[in-house]
Structures are given as structure tokens and as C-alpha cells.
């Protein structure tokens, strides 16, 4: 009896101990779960704080993370080839350790175009506006969204971002031509790339000397590739655009063929002047256009214009010096009876230089990147580019091409030093500044004996560098003679009106009538009405182009006609079908579209 009672007591004790252990275990498990949840919340809070360090915009970290995990990355691109493609991404990520962009796949991911392995032939797109350069290609790695469980927690960038490469941020020409202009119009192309968008530069350069110019494109500080490491190992851009439009570039630098204007220039001076105006507003620079000047007598206005006119000379202090700069300035002042002002990138702020150039009648400079500032000149101004000895102006034309774009309305002049005794060379300088002492003796002698740099590819041709970094004593008589000849064909220096580039519409109501005269003769009469937009325009010259092609033949007969109907008999055969096209032409070179083809049976 006592034994059974003792056993019962032991069973109850064991039971109580077991219950106690279970309760403690449950409490510990719950505590660990609470701790784990608290740690997750703390980590999410930390990641949210990191995301807000990148941007002032608020982001719900949990919602963003869930969207990435469930929906993955989404991509939709425009353009058929890597050279004209821009892609919009939702939740494109960047791993700073691998220095790779990452596309996370889920059942909800979108990838258009879905190129498969063709994405690597050679790339998805160009990150720069410089076409098909193998250092500028963009692509991404792919991972399943499930892999996020094993990766560092992502930091989300809530801003709409434009991701691109700057091509050469140390050079002012490249800054404007390759970066600022393309970025400006890429942002115009997509409405959410507004003043609140953030630019992200992935080429790996530091800020460079012109970083303030990039800041003008957005109210938010641009991010450099190196800075992305500071925000975490995995950054995810909630909405981003990758790539740049190439529509605004006009020059190719000679990577495949010697440098020169692009074969298919799509930009006009109108778009460049709008860009220049926008940048001037950002720099708080105002320019009074002729149309906005106060009224007054014609004589007073003429005197005021003459008084206001001045010439700007770009002064360089390190390389490509004008050795007799003071004499050149004096000669310009005497020849044109104008003030001459010097500006220097080394000594003045960029906005202060643009303030001066934006009102100048003439800009004079040695060949160099500073001449890109000519895009800020008023209409009707002259651009005078000086070239050192042995450098042919016809082979290096980025600024001539710019000045000659329709709608820029600038008058371009080049002068070339033809006297070898008026040049100072620097063979002992580093190779990137034209030094040649590192070359074989025979090559040095060949370069020294050369009188004309042959056409060449970019970018390290030693003969080109040797010659372009010469200092020059400008021969004043020949310089003034070149200017006098050029000014004979130059319009008045006061600002010109923008050239009209309005194209005609389709001709209306085209029709044809035929008649057979004999078994060997027939007539074909074609008539039409004027384009609809012509009645609202003042056009100096209107003509019409007619193409006639016998059905089944490969050749056609073109005609330029001043009237709206014409009867053709030459080479018109009886019982034959002819295809006829008609279009309008304004001022010899502004072509309209062809009207629908006519089928005319004689």
C-alpha cells in the first residue's frame, strides 16, 4: 500500500516536471520567435533608414521587399537594336560586390524583348550615347527571386532613376555632346524622368571638373558607381530607365572610321537652342532676345546694337596657347571696331563664361573642347576656330558641324597656321599631351618632318597629339584676310530669325486622266490640289515632284513642276498601266510625303 502511494506521488511529480518543462520550452520558443521577429523588424527599419539615406522619399520597406520577392524584376524596352534601345525596369537590382546588375525572375516577371542568348550579341543596350562602344555595353545577371532568401537584405531606391555612363566627364565637349544633351532629351522622352528623378553614373569615374553641370539636370544629387557601395551590398531601384537617346548627337569620334559628322544627323539647332536656354535658366543667366528689346527709332536701335556688340576670345593657360594673344585681341578690336573680351575656363566659373558668350557677336578660340560653348551664342554670331600647324581643319569638324546645323544660324570660320616657324612644339611632354620622346627615333623624325597629319582613327595617334598640342603664333595678316573673306558671305551680325523648317503635307485629291492619240501615242494628265497646310504658310518657292513608272519596270521618270497639273506625252505608250506619285517641295529642299500612288491605264 505504501509502495503504491509512493509510486503515485512520483508519477504526479514527473507529470508536473514534464508540464513545467513543456511550459518553459513553449515560453522559450515564443521568446525566440518574438526575438527573431523583433530582429527582422529592426533589420527592416535599418534597411528603410538606409533607403532613406539614398533618397528623401519615403518607402514602405516591407511592401517593397514583398513586391520584389513575389513579382521579381520587370523590363520593357524601346528600340530594335542594342544601339537604339532604352529600357524601363521595375526592381532592377545592383550587387556592389559583384559589380553586376541583377534581374530577379518570378512567375510575374516581364522581360521584353525576351532575347535569350541574343542579349549577349553584343549587349542589351549601350549605356552611353556613343554608339556601339565595347566599354559602354549594359547587361544583367539573372537569378530566381527565391535566391533573395540567401542574399543580403536589399536597400531600395524609391526615386525614379536614369542609369547611364558618362563617356568622358573630364572633357567639356564630351560632357555636352555625349552626356548632357542626350540625358536632357531622354528625360523629356519619359514623363516620370522629371526634375525629381535621380541620375546614376555607372562608368566608374570620379565627379570630374564639370560635375556641377550634371547637377543642373535634376534637383537631386547624382550618384556615382563608387557611392553605391556605401548603401549596401544589394541595391534595388524601384523604377529606373537604363540607356540614353542618341538622337541629339551629331559627331562620331573615329573608332571605326576617321572622325567626322554622323551619317544620319537627327537633331537640329532648334533642339540644341532649347537645351541651351534650359541650362541658362538653371544657371540664372538671362539673355535678351531681339524680339524682346524695347521699341525705339531704327537709328537708335542700330546705334545700340553696334554699341552692344563684342567679340569673345577663349584664353588657354596650359596647352595650345595663342602666343601673341594680346596682338590678336588688338587686331580684332581695330578690324571690327568692337570690344574684345577674354574668357578662361581655368580662371572663371562656367556660368560667368556663358553669361558673356551668350551675348557675343563672335567667338574666337583654338581648336578644343571649350568651343562647345558656341551652342550658347546668339543667332547670327560667328564661330572662329584656329588650328595649329599641320592640322587640317576639314578633318576635325565637331564645331563646324554644330554651327552648320539647320536652326543654329551660326557663321563658321576656320583659320590654319601654315607657317612652321610660327609654332612651338613640346616633344618632351607626356604622350597624352603630345610628347613623342617615348617613340622610336625613326618615328620621332617622321612626325617632326610631317607637314600634314594624315586621317587616323581615335584616340592615341601620336602625330595628331603632337601637332594639336602645339602653341601657335597667329599670323595676323593671314588671319584677318580669312575673316574678311568669310564676312563677305556672312549675314548681318545682329541676331537672325530662326530658319523655317516646316515641311509640306500631302498633296490633296491627286487624279489622272489618259487618252490614246494613235496606236503609238498616248497622253497622261496628272492633277492635284495644294497641301492643306500651305494655305497657312508664307513659302518663298513651291514646286511639285512627279514620278511616273511603267508597271513591271524598275526605273521611273522624275519631273519637277511649278504647276498643279500637267499633261505628259513623251515616253507614254498606249494600252499601258503607269504608277504615278506626287509630292510637294518647299524652298527646294523641304520635301513632303508622297500622296497615295495612282494607277493610270492609257
Amino acid at each position: 500500500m505504501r509502495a503504491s502511494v509512493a509510486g503515485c506521488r512520483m508519477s504526479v511529480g514527473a507529470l508536473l516536471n514534464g508540464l513545467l518543462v513543456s511550459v518553459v520550452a513553449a515560453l522559450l520558443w515564443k521568446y525566440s520567435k518574438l526575438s527573431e521577429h523583433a530582429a527582422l523588424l529592426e533589420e527592416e527599419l535599418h534597411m528603410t533608414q538606409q533607403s532613406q539615406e539614398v533618397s528623401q522619399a519615403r518607402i514602405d520597406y516591407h511592401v517593397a521587399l514583398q513586391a520584389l520577392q513575389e513579382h521579381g524584376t520587370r523590363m520593357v524596352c524601346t528600340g530594335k537594336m542594342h544601339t537604339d534601345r532604352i529600357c524601363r525596369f521595375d526592381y532592377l537590382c545592383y550587387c556592389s560586390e559583384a559589380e553586376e546588375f541583377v534581374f530577379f525572375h518570378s512567375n510575374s516577371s516581364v522581360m521584353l524583348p525576351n532575347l535569350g542568348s541574343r542579349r549577349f550579341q553584343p549587349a542589351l543596350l549601350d549605356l552611353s550615347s556613343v554608339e556601339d562602344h565595347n566599354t559602354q555595353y549594359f547587361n544583367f545577371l539573372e537569378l530566381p527571386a527565391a535566391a533573395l532568401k540567401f542574399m543580403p537584405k536589399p536597400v531600395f531606391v524609391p526615386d525614379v532613376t536614369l542609369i547611364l555612363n558618362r563617356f568622358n566627364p573630364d572633357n567639356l565637349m564630351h560632357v555636352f555632346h555625349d552626356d548632357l544633351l542626350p540625358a536632357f532629351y531622354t528625360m523629356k522622352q519619359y514623363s516620370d524622368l522629371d526634375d525629381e528623378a535621380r541620375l546614376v553614373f555607372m562608368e566608374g569615374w570620379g565627379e570630374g571638373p564639370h560635375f556641377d553641370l550634371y547637377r543642373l539636370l535634376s534637383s537631386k544629387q547624382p550618384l556615382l558607381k563608387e557611392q553605391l557601395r556605401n548603401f549596401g551590398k544589394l541595391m534595388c531601384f524601384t523604377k529606373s530607365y537604363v540607356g540614353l537617346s542618341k538622337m541629339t548627337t551629331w559627331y562620331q569620334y573615329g573608332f571605326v572610321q576617321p572622325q567626322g559628322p554622323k551619317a544620319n544627323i537627327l537633331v537640329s539647332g532648334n533642339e540644341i537652342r532649347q537645351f541651351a536656354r534650359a541650362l541658362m535658366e538653371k544657371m540664372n543667366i538671362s539673355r535678351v532676345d531681339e524680339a524682346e528689346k524695347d521699341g525705339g527709332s531704327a537709328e537708335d536701335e542700330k546705334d545700340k546694337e553696334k554699341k552692344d556688340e563684342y567679340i569673345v576670345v577663349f584664353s588657354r593657360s596650359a596647352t595650345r596657347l595663342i602666343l601673341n594673344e594680346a596682338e590678336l585681341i588688338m587686331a580684332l578690336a581695330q578690324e571690327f571696331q568692337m570690344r574684345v573680351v577674354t574668357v578662361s575656363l581655368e580662371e572663371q566659373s562656367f556660368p560667368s563664361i556663358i553669361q558673356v558668350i551668350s551675348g557675343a557677336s563672335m567667338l574666337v578660340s583654338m581648336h578644343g573642347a571649350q568651343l562647345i560653348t558656341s551652342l550658347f551664342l546668339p543667332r547670327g554670331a560667328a564661330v572662329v576656330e584656329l588650328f595649329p600647324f599641320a592640322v587640317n581643319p576639314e578633318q576635325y569638324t565637331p564645331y563646324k558641324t554644330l554651327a552648320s546645323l539647320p536652326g543654329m544660324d551660326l557663321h563658321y570660320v576656320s583659320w590654319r597656321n601654315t607657317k612652321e616657324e610660327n609654332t612651338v612644339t613640346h616633344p618632351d611632354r607626356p604622350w597624352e599631351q603630345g610628347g613623342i620622346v617615348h617613340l622610336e627615333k625613326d618615328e620621332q623624325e617622321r612626325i617632326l618632318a610631317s607637314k600634314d597629319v594624315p586621317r587616323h582613327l581615335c584616340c592615341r595617334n601620336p602625330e595628331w597629339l603632337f601637332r594639336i598640342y602645339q602653341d601657335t603664333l597667329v599670323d595676323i595678316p593671314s588671319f584677318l584676310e580669312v575673316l574678311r573673306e568669310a564676312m563677305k558671305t556672312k549675314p548681318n551680325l545682329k541676331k537672325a530669325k530662326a530658319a523655317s523648317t516646316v515641311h509640306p503635307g500631302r498633296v490633296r485629291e491627286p487624279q489622272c486622266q489618259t487618252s490614246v492619240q494613235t496606236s503609238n501615242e498616248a497622253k497622261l494628265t496628272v492633277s492635284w490640289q495644294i497641301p492643306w497646310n500651305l494655305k497657312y504658310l508664307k513659302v518663298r518657292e513651291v514646286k511639285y515632284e512627279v514620278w511616273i513608272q511603267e508597271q513591271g519596270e524598275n526605273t521611273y521618270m522624275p519631273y519637277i513642276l511649278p504647276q498643279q497639273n500637267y499633261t505628259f506625252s513623251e515616253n507614254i505608250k498606249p494600252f499601258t498601266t503607269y504608277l504615278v506619285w506626287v509630292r510637294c517641295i518647299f524652298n527646294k529642299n523641304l520635301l513632303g510625303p508622297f500622296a497615295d500612288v495612282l494607277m493610270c491605264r492609257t
Side-chain angles (χ1 to χ4, degrees), residues 348-575:
Q348 293 168 255
S349 70
F350 190 79
S352 69
I353 291 173
I354 299 308
Q355 178 74 71
V356 175
I357 287 176
S358 66
S361 298
M362 183 185 297
L363 177 62
V364 181
S365 174
M366 289 298 295
H367 172 82
Q370 70 279 357
L371 269 168
I372 193 63
T373 57
S374 60
L375 63 84
F376 293 98
L377 283 168
R379 297 183 191 277
V383 181
V384 183
E385 185 172 11
L386 313 180
F387 286 85
F389 177 76
V391 179
N392 185 347
E394 294 304 313
Q395 295 176 190
Y396 311 97
T397 61
Y399 313 111
K400 178 181 180 180
T401 305
L402 168 62
S404 305
L405 291 175
M408 279 307 294
D409 298 320
L410 297 175
H411 191 67
Y412 177 84
V413 184
S414 66
W415 173 87
R416 177 183 183 180
N417 177 25
T418 58
K419 298 182 177 181
E420 191 168 7
E421 64 270 21
N422 283 359
T423 191
V424 175
T425 61
H426 301 280
D428 297 327
R429 282 182 175 169
W431 70 266
E432 65 271 16
Q433 293 184 10
I436 57 172
V437 290
H438 63 288
L439 301 174
E440 296 289 339
K441 198 70 175 175
D442 290 348
E443 179 66 0
Q444 292 184 45
E445 291 174 357
R446 185 196 67 78
I447 290 173
L448 290 168
S450 173
K451 308 299 181 187
D452 207 343
V453 177
R455 293 181 72 84
H456 57 89
L457 297 180
C458 189
C459 297
R460 298 188 175 191
N461 183 282
E463 186 171 352
W464 149 252
L465 292 170
F466 175 72
R467 290 301 183 186
I468 199 59
Y469 278 104
Q470 296 170 110
D471 299 331
T472 301
L473 185 76
V474 176
D475 180 65
I476 299 299
S478 69
F479 172 71
L480 292 179
E481 183 59 31
V482 166
L483 278 185
R484 290 178 191 130
E485 285 299 312
M487 292 304 140
K488 290 177 183 178
T489 60
K490 180 187 180 299
N492 203 330
L493 276 177
K494 66 180 182 180
K495 302 178 185 72
K497 289 184 178 180
S500 174
T501 56
V502 176
H503 289 256
R506 293 173 182 268
V507 299
R508 295 174 300 143
E509 302 175 23
Q511 53 186 301
C512 59
Q513 294 179 330
T514 62
S515 61
V516 176
Q517 308 299 306
T518 68
S519 59
N520 296 321
E521 296 180 8
K523 291 185 177 180
L524 170 61
T525 300
V526 183
S527 63
W528 56 88
Q529 298 299 314
I530 66 171
W532 176 81
N533 63 336
L534 179 55
K535 61 183 178 181
Y536 300 104
L537 299 172
K538 291 182 179 180
V539 181
R540 187 177 68 252
E541 181 182 52
V542 179
K543 290 194 175 180
Y544 298 93
E545 185 174 17
V546 179
W547 293 4
I548 300 177
Q549 182 183 54
E550 183 179 336
Q551 191 174 38
E553 297 293 324
N554 293 324
T555 59
Y556 60 87
M557 298 174 289
Y559 302 87
I560 302 293
L561 305 171
Q563 68 267 40
Q564 293 167 236
N565 62 77
Y566 193 81
T567 299
F568 302 89
S569 57
E570 186 179 353
N571 297 320
I572 302 298
K573 298 184 288 190
F575 315 113

Side-chain angles (χ1 to χ4, degrees), residues 92-253:
L92 174 68
C93 297
Y94 177 75
C95 177
S96 58
E97 283 186 327
E99 295 190 348
E100 295 279 4
F101 284 93
V102 184
F103 186 107
F104 286 103
H105 282 280
S106 77
N107 292 333
S108 302
S109 293
V110 174
M111 187 186 287
L112 285 175
N114 198 326
L115 298 171
S117 62
R118 288 176 294 160
R119 182 161 62 82
F120 308 108
Q121 300 173 0
L124 177 64
L125 55 82
D126 292 335
L127 265 180
S128 162
S129 69
V130 177
E131 187 167 312
D132 203 23
H133 194 290
N134 61 4
T135 65
Q136 308 298 314
Y137 291 156
F138 169 85
N139 242 314
F140 50 74
L141 300 180
E142 298 172 81
L143 284 174
L148 284 162
K149 297 176 183 177
F150 311 103
M151 300 181 71
K153 288 289 185 182
V155 173
F156 291 98
V157 181
D159 303 319
V160 179
T161 56
L162 176 60
I163 299 172
L164 65 135
N165 274 4
R166 297 173 298 166
F167 189 70
N168 183 358
D170 286 348
N171 181 287
L172 199 59
M173 163 67 183
H174 289 290
V175 167
F176 274 91
H177 180 268
D178 307 336
D179 303 341
L180 295 179
L181 252 168
F184 179 82
Y185 277 106
T186 301
M187 295 172 77
K188 294 290 184 189
Q189 193 172 339
Y190 302 98
S191 59
D192 46 356
L193 282 174
D194 55 19
D195 188 56
E196 296 294 312
R198 190 182 296 277
L199 277 65
V200 180
F201 303 138
M202 296 303 301
E203 78 290 327
W205 291 65
E207 287 190 355
H210 309 295
F211 202 65
D212 282 345
L213 293 175
Y214 294 97
R215 290 189 175 102
L216 298 176
L217 296 177
S218 168
S219 61
K220 295 186 175 175
Q221 174 78 357
L223 288 176
L224 302 176
K225 179 180 179 180
E226 187 60 32
Q227 292 173 321
L228 301 186
R229 296 178 178 275
N230 301 333
F231 300 110
K233 295 181 179 180
L234 185 65
M235 289 189 70
C236 294
F237 301 93
T238 54
K239 183 186 290 186
S240 60
Y241 293 84
V242 181
L244 283 178
S245 169
K246 297 180 175 67
M247 289 189 290
T248 60
T249 58
W250 64 85
Y251 206 72
Q252 58 85 17
Y253 301 122

Side-chain angles (χ1 to χ4, degrees), residues 73 111 143 309 312 462 504:
T73 306
M111 187 186 287
L143 284 174
E309 288 177 356
V312 172

Side-chain angles (χ1 to χ4, degrees), residues 288-358:
V288 180
D289 293 330
E290 284 294 315
E292 299 171 348
K293 286 187 176 179
D294 294 333
S297 71
E299 197 64 35
D300 290 344
E301 195 65 32
K302 189 174 180 180
D303 291 343
K304 188 174 187 300
E305 285 174 4
K306 189 65 180 176
K307 185 179 179 181
D308 288 346
E309 288 177 356
Y310 58 89
I311 297 169
V312 172
V313 174
F314 248 113
S315 181
R316 297 175 63 113
S317 61
T319 60
R320 299 183 215 174
L321 305 181
I322 300 173
L323 296 172
N324 56 337
E325 186 177 290
E327 185 184 1
L328 177 71
I329 290 169
M330 187 72 69
L332 285 166
Q334 292 176 349
E335 179 71 21
F336 294 98
Q337 293 298 296
M338 294 185 197
R339 288 187 298 128
V340 179
V341 181
T342 61
V343 293
S344 169
L345 287 171
E346 293 93 343
E347 298 175 6
Q348 293 168 255
S349 70
F350 190 79
S352 69
I353 291 173
I354 299 308
Q355 178 74 71
V356 175
I357 287 176
S358 66

